[in-house]
Amino acid sequence: MLIGRDAERAAIDALVADAKDGRSRSLVVRGEAGIGKSALVEYAAGAAGGMRVVRGVGVESEAELAFGALHLLLYPYSDRIDGLPRPQAEALRAAFGQIEAAEANRFLVGAATLTLLAELAAETATLVLIDDAQWLDRSSSDALLFAARRFHADDIAVVFAVRETTLPFATPGIETLRLRGLSRVAAEELLDERAAGLTVPGRARVLLESTGNPLALIELGVARRTAERAGQADPVHEVGPLPVARRVQETFRAQIAELPAGTRTLLLIASADTGAPVDTIRRVGAAFGLTAADLEPAEQADLVTLSTERLTFRHPLIRAAAYQQATHHQRITVHAAFARVLTAAPEDADRRAWHLAAATTAPDEQVAAELEDTARRAQHRGGAMAVSAAFERAGRLSVDAGHRARRLLMAARAAYDAGRSDRATRLASEAAALTGDGGIAADATHIKAQIAYERTSPAADSELALAAAELVVDSEPERAVFILTEAVCCARDAGRHDLLEQGVRMMKALLLPDDSPLHADVAAQIAWADFLAGRPEAAVDVMAAQMREARADTVDYLHKIVAAFSGVMLADDAGTAAVMADMLTSVRTTGAVLWIPYTLEFSALAQLLRGQFTQAETSVAEGVSLGIELEMTTEVVVLRAIEVWLAAISGDEARARSIAAEIGPLLSARHPTHAALAAWGLALADLPAGRFDAALAALDGVCTGPAAHDFLIRAVPDHVEAAVRGGLPERARDHLRAFGHWAQHVRSPLGTALLHRCHALLAVTDDAVEDNYTAALRLHDQHGGPFDRARTQLVFGEWLRRRRRRSDARTQLIEAMATFDRVGARPWADRTRIELAALGEHPLAQRDDPLKLLTPQEIQVIRLAAAGHSNKEIGAQLFLSPRTVGHHLYKAYPKLGITRRIELGQLEL
């Protein structure tokens, strides 16, 4: 019976009940040592009547063993791995060291964990309990948190018990229950139950010093009672404040100190490697002349329990006390004994290397080499933090400064891959300071550049990348191309033409081999510099070739993203969308999750510019959600700039302005290109509302800013319309010449159509106006998206009405209104209705695109279902459980007016 935890027990009961009803929930129970987390975990296990209980635990000594905790958790169900989608199965087997792989994908491991646990829950409602989660190895915790955040309609609940330590264990997106000390009444009840017979002063002191911590109440109470009965209790008085855990640990140390010397040594051995099986502990103990009999006093004192396979400490603080009460020399001796007992066999090699490292107090190349081997094995399993820890320790033990620098650099790269930016920066700086090797210094600077993109700005990334490339332009020109490509891309994002031109100058000076395929990359970056400087005629052919190459399966992800930059600048929206769709399928299949937000950014941008607003909303929603989870701060605000545009188009102006106000300062400092995109979006709220002065002022900033010749040149037609409607036709020509030059050279039919619309708005004679509108609509009929065509029909219809050509005006306006209604551009539909009302027409609002009724997740699911994918295949692509996929389909069908999966193929999706 848990005393004083009624609310907490109720929370656990609700969690279990929801899981049994198919409403998945996850809960993090947080608190200091001894506060009752493990007791609540046990309560949850007892409350899970009829459920399958899957249990795991973090072990401090195994925190550097990649996927060690996950392996132990899922080992009983390893026979099910082959039933997972093949990429997931291979990733999980690679993570567990069961197959050879170049490198396990940690996100695919998370997806495999999700799928496997979901399949268990599909058979029997399942409760997953993870105690001491703060000591999970990073790879295991990432996989489990990844899965826990994605359960939705499954009969499963997950509980993590987390002890608060100096190193925070972050659990974003998961409900948290924080345990506080017991109330005075509950504390008194627990103390009287577990340590009855205390003197009144002694009882008062225990209650005061324990601060409601249950473990402290019990251990301090029992110790005080024992001391009182033996006449050894110290006088009762106030003492200086100490953390409860430390007081409890001191109590455990006192208990251990009373044990025989041999027992203390065996406890030290067990505490030095809590993952070691009993047989290994016995063999190490034998090296000190100890036997199982020496452990009996610790068992009798209820400090440990012994099974045929494991020795378990009753509480983690007992293990900490057993280890810390030993001298440094004693600890080293025990670790050395472990290293002698363990072999170099694959199952023991990593533990042996870590014990060797713990027993080594001076640089030792042999030990460093063994740890490097451990790091490389962890690379194959995908455990980035385990890789980093092993490489760092190998570096510290390296005799040669060059080896030390190389290993610390590898540790920095792995830390970056694991999302530990502070650690990566520190290690990269240290590696660069150890050697004059330009390659190591370049890589270290490049790591810091990549960190700067999300932490500071794309401009900071570009500056550091340029500095990194400078170190290898002569010695390793091909590596320099890769680094300079990043520098140029980031300079473009930042609107920093000076940095872009510096990068291009460096590329032009590179001495690449004549047959190097990287000449094409150099040419592409040079083309960008010309294009963004307003010289498209010098760049279009190279950029178009880049787009064609990007459609080839052999092109890597970076090249596809760079090509997508080119695609939107060339107004090749359909081509950009196709390249990104292929890439998205690939990154989902391979689990390259870090690429997904970037891919969705360009997918959303192409969809937005094509007038596919619902699809763009879906892309943005997933990109933002995943970007937040991956802590990609800059990418999240970039995606939310697109969200501003979409909210404005849909008529939710308040939301558009709220988002813009929230992200504006960060965007302006980090990403001027998308800051201008957000400003363009707000102008599209002003324009249909007749606030032409406000629209013109905003669009002036867009069209004169650092990204004026980027894809944002496509805002010029809106600037022209705002100026003409605002009675300032002379202002309409401010940027039209540059737009005409762009449209002519990119050879985009859409660009030409928009140019005709601009000329029509500015034309003086009726013939010129009508000829331009007619030419624009002919091009719109074959090219571009429905929104741009409807915009042209609207202004044409307005002009026709003012010329009293009522029938012709009605035709254009009714078609425009229908399109605006269909794509969800409500302000534009309302503006069109005003024009129709002037003609005596009062059409009813048409039904929106049925996709507008669905959530972004439902849209993703039904599209894949319509393409013939099974729930399991859809789940593998979207990182959802098959049952959650089924739940989304169930919710979507009535919104779409269908009852069967086969009917999805008849819808326009």
Side-chain angles (χ1 to χ4, degrees), residues 452-639:
Y453 183 90
E454 292 296 344
R455 284 197 157 186
T456 308
S457 68
D461 184 338
S462 183
E463 289 172 344
L464 284 167
L466 289 170
E470 187 72 50
L471 296 168
V472 290
V473 286
D474 295 326
S475 58
E476 298 179 78
E478 293 189 330
R479 192 199 299 194
V481 171
F482 175 72
I483 299 174
L484 287 170
T485 297
E486 176 167 342
V488 170
C489 288
C490 292
R492 174 262 177 191
D493 288 348
R496 288 287 301 273
H497 297 288
D498 56 330
L499 297 176
L500 191 150
E501 289 167 2
Q502 181 182 345
V504 167
R505 283 196 303 272
M506 291 173 67
M507 280 193 166
K508 287 179 177 179
L510 290 172
L511 298 176
L512 292 169
D514 292 340
D515 59 349
S516 173
L518 295 179
H519 283 292
D521 290 342
V522 171
Q525 304 310 306
I526 294 171
W528 268 23
D530 286 326
F531 195 97
L532 294 171
R535 299 186 295 273
E537 65 277 11
V540 166
D541 289 341
V542 173
M543 291 168 66
Q546 190 181 33
M547 279 293 292
R548 289 193 296 273
E549 183 187 358
R551 293 186 176 94
D553 292 339
T554 56
V555 176
D556 65 33
Y557 294 153
L558 178 61
H559 283 80
K560 284 183 182 290
I561 290 291
V562 172
F565 277 114
S566 293
V568 293
M569 287 191 271
L570 295 174
D572 185 3
D573 302 327
T576 301
V579 170
M580 291 296 94
D582 288 345
M583 179 169 166
L584 191 58
T585 298
S586 177
V587 295
R588 289 194 194 283
T589 301
T590 60
V593 177
L594 284 168
W595 285 101
I596 290 180
Y598 298 116
T599 309
L600 289 169
E601 175 197 340
F602 284 98
S603 294
L605 197 54
Q607 290 158 347
L608 177 149
L609 294 169
R610 296 179 77 194
Q612 297 173 322
F613 303 136
T614 303
Q615 293 92 324
E617 287 170 2
T618 302
S619 297
V620 168
E622 183 184 4
V624 168
S625 175
L626 197 55
I628 290 171
E629 183 174 341
L630 298 172
E631 300 180 354
M632 300 169 70
T633 305
T634 297
E635 186 58 21
V636 168
V637 295
V638 164
L639 283 158

Side-chain angles (χ1 to χ4, degrees), residues 313-325:
F313 287 93
R314 177 166 60 82
H315 192 277
L317 289 179
I318 301 174
R319 183 233 172 193
Y323 190 78
Q324 292 169 10
Q325 59 86 32

Side-chain angles (χ1 to χ4, degrees), residues 180-249:
R180 309 298 182 186
L182 297 177
S183 68
R184 176 77 178 198
V185 171
E188 289 175 342
E189 182 181 349
L190 177 61
L191 183 60
D192 291 343
E193 178 185 293
R194 302 297 294 271
L198 283 169
T199 63
V200 172
R203 182 173 180 273
R205 180 174 178 181
V206 170
L207 287 169
L208 177 67
E209 296 191 12
S210 64
T211 63
N213 182 293
L215 180 64
L217 281 161
I218 295 168
E219 298 299 336
L220 294 177
V222 170
R224 178 76 191 185
R225 184 180 62 185
T226 301
E228 285 182 349
R229 289 176 176 176
Q232 298 172 348
D234 57 335
V236 175
H237 61 275
E238 293 290 335
V239 297
L242 295 171
V244 167
R246 179 175 168 186
R247 294 181 184 176
V248 175
Q249 193 163 308

